[in-house]
Amino acid sequence: MDKDILSGKYDYDGELGTNYSKEKTTFKVWSPLAEKVVLNLYREGVGDNLIEKNLMVLQDKGVWSFTKTGDLAGTFYTYEVTVNGKTNETQDIYSKAVGVNGDRSMVIDLLKTNPDAWEKDIRPYIRNQTDAIIYELHFRDMSMDEASGIKIKGKFLSLTEFGTRNSYGEATGISHIKELGVNAIHILPSFDFGSIDESKINSNEYNWGYDPKNYLVPEGSYSTDPYSGTCRIKEMKEMVKALHKENIAVIMDCVFNHTYEYENSPFSKTVPDYYYRQDEKGKVIANSECKNDTASERFMFRKYMIDAVTYWAKEYHIDGFRFDLMGLHDVETMNQIRYALDKINPNILIYGEGWNLGNEVTITDDEKAIKLNAKKLDNRVAFFNDDIRDGIKGYVFEEECGGFINYNAKWIKDDGKTAYSISDLKEQVKHSIVAAVEHEDVDYEKTPYKCKPWANEPTQTVNYVSCHDNNTLWDKINLTNPEAAEEEKIKIDEMAAFIVLTSQGIPFIQNGQEMLGTKPKLNGKGFDSNSFRSPDSVNRIEWGRKHTYKKVVDYYKGLIKLRKEHPAFRMTTKAEIQKNIKFFDTKESVIGYFILNNANGDEWQEIAVIINASAQDEKIDLKKSGWAVVVKEEKAGTEVLDILSGDEVLVKAGTSMVLTNLK
């Protein structure tokens, strides 16, 4: 690669892509290695319908520009970029609209894509990141079941249909999400991705979408007309507006760590090699799933990431961004993204996967945006907490491996001989209950991961036990407890939800988790742990389960209500947690702690939380009388269920409790 391009000589901080007006459109593309760039104009997004070719002009910093007079809205275009005598035709990496399958860009009048009263759309107000309760979903999962009652299935518009019901008359879709009480949804990738053939809109192809093609454009298969450059944009905005109307924030899943293709990607065709990491021999580095790691540390890709998220935040009113394999990005880029979004709205959420994916990366471990570098990042850049995930239900990559909630852990140490004890897993769960910040009551040396207090503040910790990756919570419980009765498995599921939704930090649940969602393999043997392209029959929410497991759904709703109404469960600083949470001595399979001092302005002065993961009922001495029970066995919420007559409380086997002191 030309050394000058890495030296900063061509770094450009201005606008790229199209600048449209009714009178003219200016096209700008950054391609400092190019010998020539030609702008092609087309009538349609596909086919042999070239209108004209225009030679672009090289300006400063390797930017090629061309201005065409007249109203070009709806005109498609590509660039022909010649580098080292080789010419490639490509769409614009800054495309704001595209044709079917995203191979041609389109000039767009964005004002014409706005829904009615779009300028009056109001973002939900999530004051602190710990106030968010996140629900992860996929459009097809939510709507494809025949019992969903949703008419426009698998589309952006599926989340605009209010009042949909299953065959039992129970709320589904957006009405269910509202009823559940969550205040933010995390939608799996919604930008234009490459794995679905949009020209076969009725083929019911399925993919999670972690294969980005055009980052600034919505996915066409989620629109009702992928051939239209405007339809997908307007329909996604209509979805955002509908969710905002219900005071539900919208979080986009971002996949900047790799692209759908390498050699045929618009990045490679526009500026060969620059946007990707290479080893010393010039071979592209492949830690990501698509085997091509992008280079966030390089000025123009960092700029691209910032430009993309700020565009989505402004144009589509997006409220948060989840970063796939965030550990492949660098700390400086993530901090700059946080700073750029703060200028738009400081309440925009940012979180991602902070895994360290090996040594074959061109940035050092100290530079990676990984969990262990959380303290180098802004306190409002959060990380998925795999400590709580594995501590609760067992190591995620060993299907039969149990965790704290499974009575008898089967988590084998690396030596292959010994298993972690319940007391070890107990400390790992305690570590996460305090949002992975430092706390004197946690024995960090006992935890399976030798967990250190990696979070600087609770706003950096996303607690979860299940997501689209790996087995659903219910399937994992069935794998780790195959002989248990369903009643016992339900108690285990509810305990997992209890821990996540009462812990400090940001809670996150998977769509369908609240109704014991399952993904059985097509052959009926086992469960699908990687259903990224499995059919709807595997991935869909079966809405009849809401009726079958109504008590479980109500339990989740009660826990969410408790968390929303009582800020003691969502403290915003490490200092608050250290001051107000005190664990008390219990048996190894029981966790108990007090939340004191009207924590975080809570009306309840003192709260007791008890988790009994043992197979026996346990008596707990709370040292004083006057306790009112609000969560007990299969009931959860804020209403008083019982009042203790003395100092002791009996916690049934495999259940959890929340109590508040009335004296």
Side-chain angles (χ1 to χ4, degrees), residues 437-451:
V437 303
E438 187 173 6
H439 196 283
E440 62 183 3
D441 293 343
V442 180
D443 186 349
Y444 296 103
E445 289 303 313
K446 292 185 70 175
T447 62
Y449 289 161
K450 294 294 182 287
C451 298

Side-chain angles (χ1 to χ4, degrees), residues 185-197:
I185 64 162
H186 161 162
I187 50 177
L188 267 63
S190 298
F191 49 70
D192 183 55
F193 53 83
S195 55
I196 300 295
D197 185 351

Side-chain angles (χ1 to χ4, degrees), residues 67-138:
T67 298
K68 176 75 174 178
T69 58
D71 189 348
L72 296 187
T75 302
F76 292 87
Y77 70 97
T78 61
Y79 299 127
E80 285 182 0
V81 182
T82 302
V83 179
N84 293 327
K86 182 180 179 180
T87 300
N88 285 307
E89 185 174 9
T90 179
Q91 72 270 38
D92 189 350
I93 65 171
Y94 276 88
S95 301
K96 296 185 179 75
V98 294
V100 65
N101 284 324
D103 292 325
R104 286 181 187 167
S105 308
M106 191 185 89
V107 180
I108 184 80
D109 181 352
L110 287 166
L111 290 176
K112 292 184 177 179
T113 67
N114 292 342
D116 293 340
W118 181 241
E119 70 283 357
K120 296 180 181 178
D121 177 59
I122 300 174
R123 295 176 184 273
Y125 182 57
I126 298 177
R127 181 178 180 182
N128 301 300
Q129 292 210 175
T130 52
D131 293 337
I133 303 172
I134 301 171
Y135 187 84
E136 180 196 51
L137 64 83
H138 186 286

Side-chain angles (χ1 to χ4, degrees), residues 2-16:
D2 189 312
K3 292 182 179 179
D4 283 343
I5 201 171
L6 298 178
S7 70
K9 177 180 178 181
Y10 297 111
D11 292 352
Y12 176 73
D13 200 28
E15 183 181 11
L16 292 168

Side-chain angles (χ1 to χ4, degrees), residues 1 14 18 47 56 68 88 94 101 193 225-226 228 260 315 332 343 385 428 437 446 465 498 559 626 663:
M1 189 190 307
T18 56
M56 301 184 77
K68 176 75 174 178
N88 285 307
Y94 276 88
N101 284 324
F193 53 83
D225 183 3
S228 166
Y260 176 53
E315 185 63 36
E332 180 61 25
K343 293 180 180 178
N385 183 8
Q428 182 142 321
V437 303
K446 292 185 70 175
V465 74
F498 178 92
L559 292 173
K663 291 186 178 180

